[in-house]
């Protein structure tokens, strides 16, 4: 049930509105909030300039590849809660509903082979990456790419020249363009509140210092209790950024200096348990288990606003090579970075031009998330499994024990047998990171069968990443406010005996993880020719890029099982605990000294059939050098040294049409990825090194084995972006974006270890062969659509009121691409809407409702396994991440 949250924040809004309205009456407006006149809109759209994916400023309609743009007004109307939430309005990008929270969400682009992070979609700020590598474990590329009133627009270029002009830009290069100052003093302030005690302040101020020097500064600060009921302040922090721009009198030289400081904490939301009607056999490719949202029930955690995080599980102890520490889940996703940028452009009398940019980023990023085990059942059944699989391994410590009982941490009350219990798995990672990127370009325009704008570029980068990642294992109730429990072995009379199975609710004080220290350097040379001929009706882009990467990595897996029972503690005593008996410490050093390179090229053309109609097409061969996720964890097959560089062929053609009432961009694309190294880690239960544990082996004592396989992707699809402004209905605009695609996995055959269970007691292990060839990649829909409508009612009512709505649809998705335990999650939709009231020339009020229908659906989830029964034994259970429930937000904005 949604609690009555945010009352204090809501009360602030009328006071702010009244005060600002009174002030506005005394101020002469310099900037109007109203949209441009309808008569100029068509011309403006035809003349829309983009700066991303081209060596010169280019009209969007003249681009040789797909370009999508989101203006500051678009961002305002869409009211996104995160970068991923904003990008899901771009056709071809799937953002999984931003269900992780305000940061660290997942996106995929045109079916490219990734379901986490931004591997093929680097986030640039003003043309340079804020951190060189977009795929860093536990540091998603969106953590420091945030929008606020300093965001002027966002441009997205897919493929083509994106892979030539930028590192890792073969999927979608996303460029967040920052506001700079002009010769008029301007400013803005936005107050935003929501019904989960959300309070956010945004501001910007820009203008001249003198006739050659301008400034802009702005940012945001926000606090909230979280989109789900954590029971503590879940989101807290913000960013501030500013810039200075100097331009000479003749306009030939420009210098820009930018600085950005972000220090923010946001909650990270993970899966919650659910149950479905019982299945009698595992899902197969021909007959998958189909999730029906009308026959899905929660297990203790509310789908709309519940979470496994709570005050009880917020803080807990961990052990490791560092000694003992207290983890705090409230730290959440915690980027703390300083980002500095310098840019210089100059046009020489000889006709040459120079553009250079240098960016340095340094700081840290914390990752503190609670993942949900797939073990939710009644305390009676859960404790029986723990007794058989954990206590009996140490039977000498427990004379007379016949079972396990759970006791709440807060009161010590014994937990009823009907209470739901589950494992929680904290992922605690700290990342120290720094990155320097230098991009230098020389350009010259020459005449030869038309006009050529030639660019020669050199790119240099050096970045470092030091990570400490560790898991632990908690035991918690599953309820509105989950609570950690202590597990104790008991006799038949219910008397506790022997050491506690847990310590402060923690069953394993130090679990899986790794340490990694990576140092990477890279250089690239690129050439680009933008050629305009046939009276500028034909534009051709030809480019080539060669890039080299040198990496040195030190890697330590947490695979050294160590007993950290404190000195002086009597093993097996009542004061002892099993939680510190098997702590996984970092094992032997593993190193990687790698040097790889890749070469890619792109050829694209755009032909203007008429001034408002253009057709275009491109062919490109791109490459992807190893990411930090691959480097940090040595994800390369030593038997196949040539497999480190991923290659992709991309083909695309499309048409653009602009008219007074109708705009359309249609693109047909085909991508083919060469197979790249993948791996699976498992404990080899057949090894003689495994310690016995009753009738089975102690799986955690078995050696860790890594086996490699290769996996590719191919995808064909059609993207559509359209807008309609009917003449018969003044002020109405309807927009549509959509994609139809058919991604398929190529190869990918491997084996893994599967538990066999009876009534949740592990009774053995077996190898399971997995095949993915020809399957759809996990969590990807074949059909995605986004319909938006807005209506300016002023022509009819005289009121400056603009209602709007957005309908988002995602087709069905498989939990995994594997051919065993196949589970199909259903299509879902999401309806948002609200209105904007520009109640005077400077001020506006916006009311926004997300998930208007309070729609229940899962954006992603685990398979449903036939042997994992629900608490009553008559259903089957799994875990998944649901959409957020309905939320209400209100925003007051003032510009001058």
């Amino acid at each position: 049930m949604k609690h009555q949250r945010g009352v204090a924040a809501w009360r602030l809004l009328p006071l702010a509105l009244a005060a600002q309205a009174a002030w506005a009456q005394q101020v002469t407006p310099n900037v109007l909030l109203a949209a441009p006149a309808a008569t100029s809109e068509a011309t403006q759209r035809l003349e829309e300039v983009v700066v991303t994916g081209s060596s010169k400023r280019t009209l969007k309609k003249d681009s040789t590849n797909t370009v999508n743009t989101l203006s500051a007004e678009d961002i305002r109307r869409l009211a996104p809660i995160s970068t991923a939430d904003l990008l899901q309005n771009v056709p071809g990008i799937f953002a999984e509903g931003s269900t992780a929270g305000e940061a660290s969400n997942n996106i995929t682009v045109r079916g490219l082979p990734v379901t986490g992070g931004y591997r093929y979609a680097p986030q640039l700020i003003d043309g340079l990456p804020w951190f060189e590598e977009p795929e860093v474990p536990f540091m998603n590329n969106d953590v420091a790419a945030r929008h606020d009133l300093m965001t002027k627009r966002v441009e997205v270029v897919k493929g083509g020249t994106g892979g030539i002009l930028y590192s890792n830009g073969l999927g979608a290069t996303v460029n967040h363009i920052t506001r700079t100052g002009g010769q008029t003093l301007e400013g803005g302030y936005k107050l935003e509140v929501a019904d989960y005690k959300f309070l956010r302040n945004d501001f910007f101020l820009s203008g001249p210092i003198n006739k050659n020097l301008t400034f802009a500064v702005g940012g945001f600060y926000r606090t909230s209790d979280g989109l789900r009921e954590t029971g503590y302040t879940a989101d807290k922090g913000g960013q501030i950024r500013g810039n200075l721009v100097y331009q000479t009198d003749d306009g030939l030289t420009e210098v820009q200096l930018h600085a950005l400081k972000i220090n923010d904490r946001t909650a990270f939301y993970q899966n919650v348990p659910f149950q479905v009607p019982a299945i009698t056999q595992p899902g197969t490719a021909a007959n998958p288990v189909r999730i029906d949202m009308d026959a899905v029930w929660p297990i203790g955690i509310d789908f709309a606003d519940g979470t496994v995080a709570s005050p009880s599980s917020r803080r807990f102890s961990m052990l490791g090579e560092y000694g003992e520490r207290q983890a705090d889940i409230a730290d959440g996703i915690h980027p703390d970075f300083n980002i500095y940028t310098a840019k210089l452009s100059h046009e020489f009398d000889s006709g040459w031009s120079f553009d250079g940019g240098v960016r340095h980023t340094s700081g840290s990023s914390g990752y503190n998330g609670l993942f949900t085990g797939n073990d939710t059942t009644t305390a009676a059944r859960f404790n029986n499994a723990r007794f058989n699989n954990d206590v009996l391994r140490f039977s000498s410590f427990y004379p007379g024990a016949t079972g396990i009982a759970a006791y709440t941490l807060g009161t010590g009350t014994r937990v009823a047998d009907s209470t739901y219990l589950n494992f929680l798995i904290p992922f605690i990672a700290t990342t120290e990171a720094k990155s320097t990127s230098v991009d230098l370009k020389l350009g010259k325009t020459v005449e030869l069968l038309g006009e050529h704008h030639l660019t020669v570029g050199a790119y240099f980068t050096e970045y470092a990443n030091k990570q400490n990642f560790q898991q632990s294992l908690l035991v918690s109730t599953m309820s509105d406010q989950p609570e950690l429990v202590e597990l104790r072995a008991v006799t038949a009379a219910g008397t506790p005996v022997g050491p506690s199975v847990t310590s402060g609710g923690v069953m394993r004080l130090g679990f899986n993880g790794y340490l990694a220290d990576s140092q990477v350097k890279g250089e690239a040379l690129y050439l680009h020719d933008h050629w305009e001929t046939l009276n500028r009706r034909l534009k051709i882009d030809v480019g080539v890029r060669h890039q080299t990467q040198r990496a040195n990595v030190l890697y330590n897996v947490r695979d050294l099982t160590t007993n950290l029972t404190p000195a002086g503690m009597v093993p097996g005593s009542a004061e002892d605990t099993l939680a510190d008996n098997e702590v996984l410490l970092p094992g032997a050093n593993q190193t990687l000294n790698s040097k790889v390179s890749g070469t890619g090229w792109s050829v694209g053309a755009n032909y203007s059939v008429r001034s408002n109609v253009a057709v275009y097409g491109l062919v490109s061969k791109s490459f992807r050098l190893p990411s930090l996720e691959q480097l940090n964890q040595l994800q390369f097959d030593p038997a196949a040294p040539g497999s480190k560089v991923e290659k992709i062929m991309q083909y695309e053609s499309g048409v653009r049409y602009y008219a007074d009432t109708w705009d359309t961009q249609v693109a047909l694309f085909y991508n083919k990825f060469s197979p790249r190294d993948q791996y699976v880690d498992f404990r080899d239960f057949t090894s003689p090194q495994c310690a016995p544990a009753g009738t089975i082996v102690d799986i955690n004592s078995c050696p860790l084995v890594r086996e490699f396989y290769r996996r590719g992707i191919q995808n064909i699809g059609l993207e559509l972006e359209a807008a309609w402004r009917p003449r018969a209905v003044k002020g109405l605009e309807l927009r549509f974006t959509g994609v139809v695609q058919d991604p398929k996995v190529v190869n990918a055959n491997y084996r893994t270890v599967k538990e066999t269970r009876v009534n949740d007691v592990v009774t053995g292990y077996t190898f399971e062969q997995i095949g993915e060839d020809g399957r759809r990649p996990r969590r990807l829909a074949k059909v995605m659509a986004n319909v938006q409508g807005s209506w300016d009612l002023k022509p009819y009512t005289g009121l400056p009121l603009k209602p709007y709505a957005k309908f988002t649809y995602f087709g069905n998705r498989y939990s995994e691409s594997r051919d065993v335990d196949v589970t199909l999650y259903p299509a879902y939709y999401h309806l948002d809407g609200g209105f904007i009231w520009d109640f005077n020339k400077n001020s506006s009020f916006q009311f926004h409702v997300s998930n208007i229908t309070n729609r229940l659906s899962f954006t992603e989830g685990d398979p449903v396994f036939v042997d994992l029964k629900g608490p009553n034994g008559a259903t089957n259970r799994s875990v998944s991440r649901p959409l957020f429930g309905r939320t209400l937000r209100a925003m007051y904005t003032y510009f001058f």
Side-chain angles (χ1 to χ4, degrees):
M1 178 180 295
K2 178 72 75 175
H3 297 174
Q4 295 298 315
R5 303 180 292 185
V7 175
W10 284 106
R11 289 175 177 171
L12 292 173
L13 194 63
L15 298 176
L17 290 173
Q20 295 289 354
W23 183 31
Q25 292 178 358
Q26 304 173 30
V27 177
T28 301
N30 293 315
V31 178
L32 302 185
L33 290 176
T39 55
S40 65
E41 284 184 351
T43 302
Q44 285 188 343
R45 290 191 300 276
L46 276 171
E47 296 177 354
E48 183 178 4
V49 175
V50 293
V51 298
T52 311
S54 178
S55 56
K56 59 175 291 187
R57 295 169 65 87
T58 303
L59 296 182
K60 179 179 177 180
K61 74 178 183 67
D62 293 337
S63 176
T64 59
N65 51 5
T66 300
V67 180
N68 305 102
T69 57
L70 294 164
S71 67
E73 180 63 23
D74 293 330
I75 297 171
R76 175 192 179 201
R77 174 175 45 80
L78 294 168
I81 63 169
S82 67
T83 300
D85 194 26
L86 176 65
L87 294 179
Q88 75 172 357
N89 296 284
V90 176
I93 292 182
F94 174 47
E96 290 192 340
S98 290
T99 48
E102 290 192 22
S104 202
N105 287 282
N106 299 329
I107 69 168
T108 56
V109 182
R110 289 183 170 178
L112 303 189
V114 61
T115 52
Y118 292 74
R119 177 179 174 85
Y120 304 107
Q123 303 297 294
L124 311 185
I125 300 176
D126 300 312
L128 288 169
W130 75 265
F131 189 82
E132 173 64 24
E133 173 53 58
E135 185 180 56
V136 183
F138 308 112
M139 194 180 88
N140 269 14
N141 211 217
D142 63 343
V143 298
R146 308 288 188 87
H147 61 269
D148 55 27
L149 288 183
M150 284 286 285
T151 304
K152 183 179 180 180
R153 62 194 275 118
V154 176
E155 298 179 353
V156 182
V157 173
K158 303 192 191 97
T161 53
I164 303 300
L165 299 175
Y166 311 107
S167 292
N168 310 309
L170 63 164
T173 301
V174 182
N175 192 13
H176 303 259
I177 299 172
T178 307
R179 183 191 299 269
T180 56
Q183 287 302 313
T184 300
L185 184 66
E186 298 178 345
Y189 169 75
K190 183 172 78 170
L191 172 67
E192 182 175 359
V193 297
D195 63 344
Y196 47 94
K197 291 187 179 178
F198 175 98
L199 176 62
R200 172 167 164 153
N201 292 272
D202 287 60
F203 84 98
F204 87 91
L205 183 67
S206 68
I209 296 175
N210 58 41
K211 66 184 182 67
N212 300 106
L213 184 64
T214 63
F215 78 95
V217 62
F220 77 89
Y221 185 82
R222 169 267 296 108
T223 62
S224 89
D225 281 359
L227 286 153
R228 296 190 175 277
E229 300 278 2
T230 62
Y232 49 80
T233 300
D235 307 318
K236 183 178 182 180
Q239 70 180 13
I240 186 167
R241 51 179 165 163
N243 57 69
L244 295 172
V245 179
Y246 174 82
Q247 192 172 69
T248 56
D249 289 336
D250 57 13
L252 298 179
T253 303
E254 183 178 272
V255 178
Q256 295 189 16
L257 299 176
H258 295 251
L260 186 155
K261 170 65 177 180
I262 182 169
N263 188 351
D264 193 29
R265 293 174 177 86
T266 58
F268 180 77
Y269 303 108
Q270 248 299 323
N271 293 348
V272 298
F274 71 91
Q275 55 188 329
V276 295
I279 61 173
T280 58
Q281 60 185 10
T284 64
N287 186 27
V289 174
R290 298 176 183 271
I291 303 297
D292 179 357
M293 298 311 298
D294 292 328
V296 171
W297 306 279
I299 311 179
I301 306 292
D302 183 72
F303 291 144
D305 59 6
T307 174
V308 296
S310 71
S312 176
S313 61
R314 173 181 170 176
R315 296 184 178 92
F316 50 88
S317 295
M318 300 183 76
L319 293 179
E321 70 287 354
Y322 46 79
E324 184 176 5
R325 65 176 174 177
Q326 286 288 312
D328 188 353
I329 293 298
D331 274 345
I333 307 302
H334 183 187
D336 185 0
F337 287 103
N338 299 308
I339 304 172
Y340 301 105
T341 309
K343 290 186 170 186
L344 170 65
S345 63
H346 179 72
E347 296 183 13
F348 298 94
D349 294 338
S350 61
W352 286 90
S353 64
F354 172 81
D355 284 283
V358 180
R359 171 163 292 156
H360 179 73
T361 299
S362 62
S364 63
S365 187
Y367 185 102
N368 305 273
L370 275 182
F371 284 68
T372 312
N374 195 356
D375 295 271
T376 305
T377 188
T378 62
R381 192 162 170 166
F382 185 91
N383 291 338
N384 180 60
R386 303 287 66 74
F387 181 75
N388 282 276
N389 290 141
D390 299 295
V391 167
L392 291 184
R393 293 195 293 121
F394 301 90
S395 57
S396 62
F397 288 172
Y398 299 100
T402 59
I404 280 182
Y407 302 86
T408 60
L409 281 188
T411 63
T413 305
R414 182 165 177 171
V415 172
D417 284 348
S418 59
T419 302
Y420 297 146
L421 293 182
N422 192 13
F423 285 127
L424 300 181
I425 310 164
F427 279 46
I428 308 298
T430 56
T431 302
E432 298 174 13
K434 60 181 179 180
S435 169
T436 300
S437 300
V438 181
D439 192 18
L440 307 175
K441 291 179 284 192
L442 284 174
K444 186 174 177 61
T445 299
V446 298
E447 296 291 334
L448 178 64
L449 300 177
E451 182 180 274
H452 296 260
H453 185 78
L454 302 175
T455 300
V456 180
Y459 189 80
F460 307 91
T461 183
E462 182 173 355
Y463 53 101
N465 182 273
K466 188 174 183 179
Q467 288 195 321
N468 186 328
F469 165 53
Q470 187 181 28
Q471 300 172 351
S472 64
L473 192 65
L474 315 181
V475 181
S476 174
T477 64
M478 292 289 101
S479 60
D480 285 343
Q481 280 289 311
E483 186 174 1
L484 296 185
V485 300
E486 207 78 285
L487 299 183
R488 298 296 304 263
V490 293
T491 65
T495 304
V497 60
S500 175
V501 179
T502 56
S503 175
V506 185
M507 189 166 170
R508 295 290 294 272
L509 287 161
F511 206 20
N512 299 317
Y514 64 82
L515 305 179
D517 191 349
S518 301
Q519 311 285 329
V520 186
K521 293 183 179 180
E523 306 88 24
L525 292 174
Y526 57 91
L527 302 173
H528 180 245
D529 179 15
H530 178 77
W531 178 18
E532 298 187 3
T533 187
L534 300 182
N535 294 321
R536 301 188 182 275
R537 296 181 69 176
L538 177 63
K539 291 88 176 175
I540 299 174
D541 282 307
V542 180
V544 61
R545 183 184 185 97
H546 179 80
Q547 189 157 342
T548 300
Q549 179 196 82
R550 299 184 305 280
N552 294 288
V553 182
L554 177 63
Y555 177 58
N556 305 88
V557 182
R558 294 184 180 277
D559 61 357
L560 188 62
T561 303
T562 308
N563 190 330
L564 293 183
T565 300
M569 177 65 67
V570 178
S573 65
E575 292 75 26
D576 191 16
T577 177
L578 298 184
D580 56 14
N581 281 23
E582 297 174 324
V583 175
L584 295 179
L585 296 181
N589 288 346
Q590 301 179 56
T591 60
L592 173 70
N593 296 301
S594 170
K595 181 179 180 180
V596 296
S597 60
T599 301
W601 52 264
S602 178
V603 178
N606 178 298
Y607 182 74
S608 296
V609 180
R610 295 190 306 183
S611 62
N612 64 338
V613 180
V615 293
Y616 70 95
L618 70 88
V619 179
S620 63
K621 181 180 181 180
S622 304
F623 62 92
R624 179 57 160 95
L625 300 183
S627 71
L628 272 174
E629 179 161 317
Q630 294 172 284
L631 294 172
N632 277 3
Q633 301 173 48
L634 309 187
Q635 296 180 9
F636 307 108
D637 186 355
S643 65
K644 294 180 181 178
V645 179
E646 188 177 17
K647 298 179 178 63
I648 174 177
M649 286 298 303
Q650 295 174 291
Y651 306 86
E652 181 177 339
S653 64
V655 60
R656 299 186 180 100
Y657 172 74
Y658 296 84
D660 288 343
T661 61
W662 184 267
D663 301 340
T664 304
Q665 178 174 261
V666 182
L668 177 67
F669 63 87
Y670 174 75
N671 301 329
K672 184 177 182 179
F673 275 74
S674 64
R676 69 178 174 97
D677 287 345
Q678 305 283 331
Y679 73 95
V680 58
D681 285 341
F682 58 82
R683 299 280 179 178
D684 183 5
F685 62 91
T686 65
S687 170
Q689 298 178 35
C690 299
T695 59
I696 61 173
V697 297
D698 176 7
I699 192 68
N700 293 313
S701 69
C702 300
L704 186 65
V705 175
R706 172 170 290 185
E707 292 185 348
F708 288 92
Y709 63 98
R710 307 201 71 196
R711 187 174 188 267
I713 293 285
Q714 62 183 25
N715 188 22
I716 186 170
L718 182 71
E719 282 181 4
L720 172 63
E721 181 179 30
W724 181 42
R725 294 160 295 276
R727 286 194 177 94
V729 185
K730 294 181 180 180
L732 178 64
E733 181 178 61
L734 300 176
R735 299 186 184 188
F736 175 84
T737 62
V739 62
V740 179
Q741 60 184 358
D742 187 22
K744 284 185 170 59
V745 175
V746 179
N747 296 332
N749 297 290
Y750 54 95
R751 65 172 181 164
T752 187
V753 171
K754 182 179 181 180
E755 296 176 339
T756 57
R757 297 194 186 196
V758 176
N759 294 327
D760 284 313
V761 176
V762 177
T763 58
Y765 302 93
T766 182
F767 284 113
E768 185 172 50
Q769 196 66 32
I770 307 295
E772 298 184 18
D773 189 45
R775 303 275 303 143
R776 194 198 316 172
R778 66 177 185 145
R779 289 151 57 175
L780 284 184
K782 282 190 172 184
V783 178
M784 298 178 286
N786 183 309
V787 182
Q788 302 172 29
S790 63
W791 194 4
D792 185 353
L793 298 178
K794 190 171 183 179
Y796 294 95
T797 66
L799 297 175
L801 194 65
K802 183 183 291 185
Y804 62 86
K806 182 181 76 169
F807 175 86
T808 308
Y809 172 85
F810 296 103
N812 60 30
R813 298 144 339 275
Y814 289 100
S815 63
E816 300 285 345
S817 49
R818 44 194 261 168
D819 60 357
V820 297
D821 301 308
V822 181
T823 303
L824 186 64
Y825 282 83
Y828 70 92
Y829 69 86
H830 196 274
L831 182 62
D832 305 328
F835 66 86
I836 298 174
W837 175 31
D838 296 327
F839 58 87
N840 65 36
K841 293 181 179 180
N842 297 82
S843 302
S844 71
F845 172 77
Q846 181 175 359
F847 182 73
H848 183 86
V849 184
S850 180
N851 196 1
I852 293 173
T853 61
N854 212 25
R855 179 72 176 173
L856 164 63
S857 192
F858 299 138
T859 61
E860 52 105 342
D862 281 8
V864 176
F865 298 98
V866 69
D867 59 341
L868 296 187
K869 300 300 182 182
N872 62 4
T875 60
N876 279 87
R877 68 173 186 259
S878 190
V879 293
S880 65
R881 191 150 61 181
L883 292 171
F884 296 119
R886 183 190 300 115
T887 58
L888 310 178
R889 297 160 64 196
M891 290 149 273
Y892 167 72
T893 306
Y894 177 81
F895 286 114
F896 67 88

